[in-house]
Amino acid sequence: MSGGFPIDLILFGMVAAFLVLRLRSILGRRTGYERPPTPVEPTGAGEEAARTIDTRAEEAVVPQLGGPGPKRGLPDPASPAGQVLARIRQIDPEFDPAGFLMGAEGAFAMIVEAFARGDRQTLQTLLSPEVFRDFEGAITAREQAGERQRTELVALRESSILEVDLRGTVATIGARFVSDQINMTYGADGTVTAGGEAVTETVDVWSFARDLNSADPTWLLVGTRSE
């Protein structure tokens, strides 16, 4: 047996490095999150703010929710959305629609959890400036009222790429999420003022945007709506 470096370790290292680079190209960068979330969602003025998302992750960890994995849907390649995805890949060959969708699923849970904690620092790195202002305003209103929110993301049932737009090198992708959630609002005295323990189905469409020529791989959340 020679004293050379084992070839299998060299190959393993090459594969590991490739996977790390791939994951970062899909999710972007993020710090400080490495555990499954217990997200919280506001009601009233803050409700729309809680439905905002971005796919920035330093060490991307897709939260493991209860039940089987979500049913995922990608546009038909011949559809208008599918054709725009193909144009995005021409500009950015590293873009992978399936990988984007998986990263968006993790971000869906991560953003809601950050809002629940009132974690402005994390949210500011994940959201566009306009969306962050909405979130920050909702958090401030909640704090001033002495309220506390609880949103438990019980299961993510479905995810799909719904809309795709490309203007110049700026791409925008709308992802649709169907989830089961428990939403409750607690007043300053600790009593429940809205919601309850019942599990309800929630349908959200979150839009992410990125300049494909940018060295930053992050897709920022730029818009939200509920269905």
Side-chain angles (χ1 to χ4, degrees):
M1 178 177 179
S2 66
F5 198 80
I7 188 66
D8 57 341
L9 292 182
I10 295 176
L11 293 175
F12 179 81
M14 292 174 63
V15 172
F18 172 78
L19 291 176
V20 170
L21 291 174
R22 261 313 260 176
L23 195 56
R24 286 190 175 184
S25 72
I26 294 170
L27 298 178
R29 298 189 175 187
R30 179 181 181 274
T31 58
Y33 181 87
E34 298 182 4
R35 62 182 178 81
T38 305
V40 175
E41 179 183 19
T43 58
E47 182 174 89
E48 194 65 19
R51 304 180 186 282
T52 307
I53 190 172
D54 167 55
T55 52
R56 201 169 191 167
E58 171 70 13
E59 295 178 0
V61 178
V62 177
Q64 299 300 310
L65 304 177
K71 176 182 177 182
R72 300 188 177 102
L74 297 176
D76 187 298
S79 69
Q83 293 177 23
V84 178
L85 288 176
R87 289 167 52 202
I88 290 175
R89 295 197 69 174
Q90 290 177 349
I91 300 174
D92 180 8
E94 295 298 316
F95 173 75
D96 173 32
F100 169 89
L101 191 55
M102 291 179 66
E105 292 168 5
F108 179 86
M110 289 190 289
I111 293 295
V112 176
E113 187 222 21
F115 180 86
R117 298 194 312 265
D119 186 349
R120 293 175 173 84
Q121 183 176 359
T122 296
L123 291 173
Q124 195 165 23
T125 67
L126 304 176
L127 314 176
S128 70
E130 295 79 11
V131 173
F132 173 74
R133 283 196 293 269
D134 291 341
F135 268 62
E136 202 280 331
I139 291 173
T140 298
R142 182 179 67 196
E143 292 172 344
Q144 291 176 346
E147 293 181 339
R148 179 172 61 88
Q149 299 291 325
R150 174 196 169 202
T151 293
E152 180 180 346
L153 186 56
V154 178
L156 184 58
R157 300 297 183 190
E158 300 178 21
S159 67
S160 59
I161 291 179
L162 187 65
E163 307 157 345
V164 188
D165 183 60
L166 181 61
R167 301 187 182 186
T169 60
V170 177
T172 303
I173 299 178
R176 182 177 185 270
F177 303 98
V178 179
S179 62
D180 291 340
Q181 300 183 17
I182 297 174
N183 299 301
M184 301 178 70
T185 303
Y186 297 87
D189 60 356
T191 61
V192 177
T193 59
E197 293 287 350
V199 176
T200 59
E201 181 181 274
T202 302
V203 183
D204 300 286
V205 178
W206 292 0
S207 297
F208 306 86
R210 174 178 177 259
D211 186 338
L212 302 175
N213 282 342
S214 173
D216 186 349
T218 304
W219 290 78
L220 290 177
L221 181 70
V222 296
T224 68
R225 72 175 188 267
S226 300
E227 291 187 348

